[in-house]
Amino acid sequence: MLKFVTVCGAGVGSSMMLRLFSQDILDDEDIDALVDASDISSVTPDDYDVVITTSDFADRLSSSTAKIIRIDNMMDKNFLRQEILRVTEELGA
């Protein structure tokens, strides 16, 4: 099972929305994965296979071993789907 985390400033707004969108995409694609949501100050990115966040926070998490998906238009579900599929393929899922 892959572990994803969505990250935003407070962990309750955009990260929750991205968590729901991401879990829907993973479920639709039959990819065995769990998606958590977190705020930037308490996330431990190395505990996850994939981090989904905006460019601002992605730069702060770039030293992580996790794959990072940058998404700045949170309503662009097609882009999110493409990126999730690309990363899961890279991870062999």
Side-chain angles (χ1 to χ4, degrees):
M1 174 183 289
L2 293 175
K3 290 174 58 180
F4 284 68
V5 64
T6 58
V7 178
C8 71
V12 294
S14 55
S15 66
M16 290 301 289
M17 185 175 66
L18 283 172
R19 184 186 71 76
L20 293 172
F21 291 166
S22 299
Q23 192 67 64
D24 286 346
I25 291 167
L26 291 160
D27 291 346
D28 287 347
E29 298 291 337
D30 290 323
I31 297 169
D32 188 21
L34 176 67
V35 185
D36 292 330
S38 182
D39 63 277
I40 188 67
S41 63
S42 64
V43 70
T44 306
D46 291 339
D47 289 348
Y48 296 91
D49 301 299
V50 182
V51 175
I52 302 173
T53 191
T54 62
S55 292
D56 294 340
F57 297 124
D59 292 340
R60 292 173 55 184
L61 300 170
S62 64
S63 64
S64 169
T65 58
K67 299 277 187 186
I68 297 178
I69 294 175
R70 295 171 183 251
I71 185 158
D72 293 310
N73 179 355
M74 303 212 198
M75 300 311 292
D76 190 348
K77 293 180 187 177
N78 288 327
F79 177 78
L80 181 59
R81 180 180 300 275
Q82 287 176 304
E83 289 299 291
I84 287 173
L85 293 176
R86 177 186 62 78
V87 168
T88 55
E89 185 176 313
E90 288 177 10
L91 292 171

